[in-house]
Amino acid sequence: VANAPARVVTVSSGAQAMGRIELADLQAERRYSGQRAYSQSKLMNILFTRELARRLPPGVTANAVHPGFVASNFGKSNGGIYRPLWSLFELAAISPERGAQTSVYLASSPDVAGVTGEYFVDCKRQRSSLESYNENIARRLWEERRGKDPASRQDASIDQMRMLAFERLAGVPLLAGNRCDLLIDGEA
């Protein structure tokens, strides 16, 4: 990130609360469960965001967000009993526009211009799981990743960092505005 002010918004999930980091089996090669892997990855998103926030220069912020249970194609490829159950659960899902609201708020609102290293739900700071505050695990995961991803190195070029950011944002609509209620009624 070359110039301040700038903001990084990482999408996580409430599932992070069920996540556990097993440093000896990060790739779940010994014991795999789809739900466990998903929860762990969402916890890692928060740990990554907090570590990034510690490393960014002044004027650049990084925060994580839980968008809510959004009506999307997530989970539709699950087979067996999960397919009809997912259709039932989806009745309670929120629209993609409503799900994007907190991300848009964090990316654009002057209310959070200096806030960094936090977790947000419904445009409000919220405590995430206890493990998500473990700076030692965050640092170890960051270092583990350094050797495998050139864009996560401290000496990565600005272009590499931008490419990583765009990859992380793939599929997220970029919307203008700076109010949390921006997307609820469609008015700016």
Side-chain angles (χ1 to χ4, degrees), residues 41-67:
S41 74
K42 297 308 171 180
L43 173 58
M44 286 179 178
N45 284 357
I46 296 174
L47 288 160
F48 163 82
T49 301
R50 292 210 165 103
E51 186 63 23
L52 178 64
R54 283 189 281 278
R55 294 169 182 259
L56 288 171
V60 182
T61 64
N63 290 292
V65 59
H66 167 56

Side-chain angles (χ1 to χ4, degrees), residues 7-12 63-68 70 96-109 112 120-124 168-169 172-175 177-180 182-183:
R7 301 175 188 194
V8 176
V9 178
T10 304
V11 177
S12 183
N63 290 292
V65 59
H66 167 56
V70 179
E97 292 80 11
R98 176 101 165 86
Q101 160 179 309
T102 304
S103 295
V104 171
Y105 173 72
L106 287 172
S108 61
S109 175
V112 290
F120 283 77
V121 178
D122 291 328
C123 300
K124 294 181 205 87
R168 292 190 192 281
L169 289 172
V172 176
L174 300 176
L175 302 169
N178 63 10
R179 289 196 353 236
C180 183
L182 167 69
L183 298 173

Side-chain angles (χ1 to χ4, degrees), residues 15-186:
Q16 55 81 27
M18 296 178 286
R20 299 290 170 264
I21 304 299
E22 294 181 33
L23 292 169
D25 190 24
L26 285 177
Q27 300 300 320
E29 294 169 324
R30 284 187 240 149
R31 204 175 71 168
Y32 179 81
S33 151
Q35 178 61 45
R36 199 173 85 225
Y38 179 77
S39 298
Q40 177 177 292
S41 74
K42 297 308 171 180
L43 173 58
M44 286 179 178
N45 284 357
I46 296 174
L47 288 160
F48 163 82
T49 301
R50 292 210 165 103
E51 186 63 23
L52 178 64
R54 283 189 281 278
R55 294 169 182 259
L56 288 171
V60 182
T61 64
N63 290 292
V65 59
H66 167 56
F69 179 49
V70 179
S72 68
N73 287 328
F74 181 80
K76 293 213 180 198
S77 63
N78 292 340
I81 187 86
Y82 292 108
R83 178 163 285 193
L85 281 177
W86 199 259
S87 296
L88 183 63
F89 292 151
E90 210 170 36
L91 295 173
I94 61 175
S95 71
E97 292 80 11
R98 176 101 165 86
Q101 160 179 309
T102 304
S103 295
V104 171
Y105 173 72
L106 287 172
S108 61
S109 175
D111 296 342
V112 290
V115 177
T116 193
E118 298 292 339
Y119 176 67
F120 283 77
V121 178
D122 291 328
C123 300
K124 294 181 205 87
R125 283 186 216 190
Q126 188 172 87
R127 283 198 57 80
S128 50
S129 70
L130 187 59
E131 193 166 7
S132 74
Y133 292 92
N134 188 320
E135 291 182 18
N136 291 328
I137 289 177
R139 200 169 293 114
R140 285 185 66 184
L141 289 170
W142 186 278
E143 294 302 320
E144 172 78 19
R145 195 68 192 130
R146 272 183 89 165
K148 297 177 180 159
D149 183 355
S152 66
R153 295 190 334 255
Q154 275 202 310
D155 63 342
S157 74
I158 297 304
D159 288 337
Q160 287 172 319
M161 292 298 286
R162 284 186 183 134
M163 188 155 81
L164 179 63
F166 282 123
E167 286 173 1
R168 292 190 192 281
L169 289 172
V172 176
L174 300 176
L175 302 169
N178 63 10
R179 289 196 353 236
C180 183
D181 60 349
L182 167 69
L183 298 173
I184 292 175
D185 59 11

